[in-house]
Amino acid sequence: MDQGVVGSSGGRLGGLRVWTERDSPQRERQLIWRLVNAQGAGWRLARAPILNADGVQLELEGSWAAGAGRHGVIAVDDIVLLDGDCAPAPPQSRPAAGDCDFTHDACGWSNSTTDEPRQQRWRLAAPLAAQAPRILLTDHTFRDAGGYIYFDLFSPQDRREQLRMVSPLLEPPATGGGGAGACVAFWLAHLSPSEPTQLRVLLEVVTSGVGDDAQFGEPTVLWSVRASETGARRLTWLYGQAGFRATQSYRITFEGDASKYGFALDDITFTSGDCEVRPSNAAPNEGAREQRSLIR
């Protein structure tokens, strides 16, 4: 694979993805490899495992940020299908369950706020005006229109709402016993610092059942911040992350709490290994207000 970029700043330009689609009535489609943004010029090896190649079509998808204001090229050559197991290459190309840049859809994340009007929910931003937030914001992945999720409230009675965006069911990292560390990372932007709008990250672990019948224990708050505490200007993307441990299947929920305005989220990723809470003042029950160079 070659992704040569013309332009001195590199930056958020586009991406290359590899999908499999099975020849079945459901036309099951799965992302098996992806890289985004400038990777530097020059050919390099790319490799993606296919768990079951029977009845599968491969689809290579290139995407480009129309508003990037730069020029670039993505090239692919020498595609070969081989029998046997392989590891993804480069390592960062491996998609994890729950990863989402919201370019096409919500990647299995679901809005659990079903008992409120549609405007009182998390929504997927799209370039169409009817689906865009009241306050304009370009996405973090490509700096393009749309391609993120958000909630944007207005309550004349100042009634606070809790709005939840829930991950698909996730499996814990492989471990020898006490639960391996995992990390959820994301980019957030607040739509106004003038209101006590709050965003929380919750962990819910399965206590019984499987699949759609899974029952969850009480949620644990991993991360929490108010818009006025971020230290960021409105409509500015800020990096956030939270570490946790799980020995059972689990799900992650982003919970907004507001009466006016809201938050946007983009580029959610899950990785194995411990990580610190960022920004540091988002740690639950922590009084620290230190802000580091997290704003990009």
Side-chain angles (χ1 to χ4, degrees), residues 172-173 175-181 245-247 274:
T175 177
R245 290 180 176 270
T247 57
D274 297 324

Side-chain angles (χ1 to χ4, degrees), residues 190 193 198 224-232 238 279 281-282 289 291:
H190 64 79
Q198 190 169 16
S224 178
V225 75
R226 295 180 183 273
S228 58
E229 298 171 341
T230 62
L238 173 75
N281 65 337
R289 291 294 180 266
Q291 293 294 323

Side-chain angles (χ1 to χ4, degrees), residues 76-110:
V76 178
D77 198 6
D78 297 332
I79 299 175
V80 180
L81 296 178
L82 301 172
D83 291 332
D85 298 330
C86 68
Q92 66 269 28
S93 66
R94 179 200 296 267
D99 288 2
C100 196
D101 63 12
F102 302 101
T103 300
H104 296 286
D105 53 34
C107 314
W109 288 77
S110 59

